[in-house]
Amino acid sequence: MESPIQYHLIKKEKHTGARLGEIVTPHGTFPTPMFMPVGTQATVKAMSPEQLAEMGAGIILANTYHLWLRPGPEIVEEAGGLHPFMNWPKGILTDSGGFQVFSLAKMRDITEEGVHFKNHLNGAKMFLSPEKAIHIENALGPDIMMSFDECPPFFESYDYVKKSVARTSRWAERGLKAHRNPDKQGLFGIVQGAGFKDLREQSAKDLVSMDFPGYSIGGLSVGESKAEMNHVLDFTTPLLPENKPRYLMGVGSPDALIDGVLRGIDMFDCVLPTRIARNGTVMTSHGRLVVKNAKYAHDFGPMDDNCDCYACRNYSRAYIRHLIKSDETFGIHLTTYHNLYFLIHLMGDVRQAIMDDNLLEFRQDFFERYGLNQE
Ligand SMILES: CN(C)CCSCc1cc(N)cc2c(=O)[nH]c(N)nc12
Ligand SMILES: [Zn+2]
């Protein structure tokens, strides 16, 4: 049966591993490379769906672990799934919950069957298996869903990661078998293996043999250096099929996005833009700017003079600084709007650079303006 998720490779950039493509989903076709705003609890914090659509968001994320705990998949399923529940007509991707169990929950016990842990909200004992995670994602009804995986610490021992990768591959197979709507929801395999080349190769080989409609690269953006992440991508991305989408999980900052695209990544997600917005930090064409700093108290210009987003066209740094300092929610609404707009439009500029075969010049120019070293 044909997968509901199709990837069309449109053009390869001449001098790098970057590629221009589009991902077809039951809720629309979206250009890649793309940045996906994070809406963990079925909302992108401080944004309305209308504003997300207006700024060009295509696929947004929701999170299985959080929605399982609250409000529960039954309620979302009763609403007809996440799309009607959150009134979002475009693409939705859910993570499988494994990562959140490992990063949020206490008292974890990992077995072949799955993971026993304590609910981080009320301390109740809970259990998540590949089958359970897939069935929750089936009930939530996203277009793209993730396999249940273990994301080991990047600096974990070779022996531990070797065993973990083998188990994650077995979990992926169990998830494929448990998947109830393969004609409506595309299930991605998640490549693990920390920084070990042979384990990444083994993980990719296992998952590619299961013929997933798309592949995520997990186990990165977990505390390793940018150089280490890029090194792992150098040897991992080429292991993945060219005609399938590649999603680098949990990434990232503007430079990490550009360097991921250079290495053949198509999809990114990260809480960074929404998280730093909440403490009054914004990404601008001249680097980061902490708009709540006192030096902007009398600055009546826009957050970014090269930005034509709703926030920059209508509100000043002085006003936004006042709102953030006064804990007025409209302040983080404006900083969030700008940060998401910035990354979504950065990916638009990156797509144009791929079209023009000048991504390396674009990277150099962006890094200089953003105040990043070119290493
Ligand atoms: C909102 N996002 C932070 C959640 C989606 S991405 C979460 C996420 C981030 C990172 N860095 C690694 C992994 C990983 O290895 N596996 C899984 N399942 N999820 C991951
Ligand atoms: Zn702006």
Side-chain angles (χ1 to χ4, degrees), residues 140-324:
L140 297 175
D143 302 290
I144 300 172
M145 48 195 267
M146 293 300 121
S147 295
F148 187 70
D149 64 323
E150 180 190 5
C151 171
F154 189 78
F155 301 102
E156 189 52 86
S157 73
Y158 178 85
D159 288 347
Y160 182 90
V161 176
K162 186 174 172 69
K163 291 194 181 81
S164 169
V165 161
R167 184 172 50 208
T168 284
S169 294
R170 292 193 295 273
W171 282 356
E173 191 138 40
R174 283 169 51 189
L176 266 179
K177 288 197 181 87
H179 190 6
R180 288 175 171 147
N181 315 317
D183 55 331
K184 293 194 186 69
Q185 300 170 277
L187 179 59
F188 281 21
I190 303 180
V191 176
Q192 291 289 353
F196 303 108
K197 189 168 186 292
D198 61 328
L199 299 184
R200 286 279 175 185
E201 285 167 347
Q202 186 59 54
S203 179
K205 187 162 165 276
D206 293 349
L207 297 174
V208 170
S209 73
M210 298 176 209
D211 193 23
F212 284 96
Y215 293 91
S216 303
I217 298 178
L220 291 174
S221 190
V222 288
E224 77 285 357
S225 71
K226 285 202 173 120
E228 281 163 329
M229 174 158 75
N230 287 334
H231 177 61
V232 171
L233 291 178
D234 283 338
F235 60 71
T236 302
T237 313
L239 301 169
L240 300 175
E242 261 199 356
N243 65 336
K244 301 280 178 74
R246 300 152 175 180
Y247 163 30
L248 177 55
M249 306 187 88
V251 174
S253 56
D255 51 318
L257 294 183
I258 294 172
D259 284 341
V261 169
L262 280 175
R263 291 165 174 82
I265 300 296
D266 308 304
M267 301 160 72
F268 302 86
D269 94 278
C270 192
V271 294
L272 186 76
T274 38
R275 183 169 292 167
I276 63 172
R278 291 197 289 280
N279 67 33
T281 298
V282 291
M283 303 167 176
T284 79
S285 47
H286 302 289
R288 278 195 181 193
L289 181 143
V290 184
V291 73
K292 70 178 181 185
N293 278 356
K295 65 180 173 183
Y296 300 115
H298 302 269
D299 184 334
F300 298 100
M303 285 182 281
D304 184 350
D305 48 16
N306 291 319
C307 181
D308 62 353
C309 84
Y310 159 75
C312 291
R313 279 185 288 106
N314 294 293
Y315 302 95
S316 70
R317 291 171 174 176
Y319 176 63
I320 295 168
R321 175 180 180 274
H322 156 65
L323 293 178
I324 299 273

Side-chain angles (χ1 to χ4, degrees), residues 55-124:
M55 71 169 73
I59 298 178
I60 64 173
L61 264 75
N63 196 283
T64 298
Y65 172 77
H66 293 84
L67 294 170
W68 176 32
L69 268 47
R70 201 173 41 183
E74 306 73 19
I75 288 175
V76 176
E77 191 165 30
E78 218 176 299
L82 280 169
H83 289 90
F85 186 56
M86 61 191 289
N87 188 31
W88 176 250
K90 297 185 177 186
I92 297 178
L93 181 152
T94 52
D95 196 0
S96 50
F99 184 78
Q100 286 69 36
V101 167
F102 296 115
S103 53
L104 274 176
K106 300 177 185 62
M107 268 288 294
R108 293 182 315 273
D109 175 26
I110 310 175
T111 66
E112 183 63 26
E113 258 315 282
V115 190
H116 299 269
F117 63 95
K118 273 184 147 183
N119 177 324
H120 77 289
L121 297 173
N122 60 17

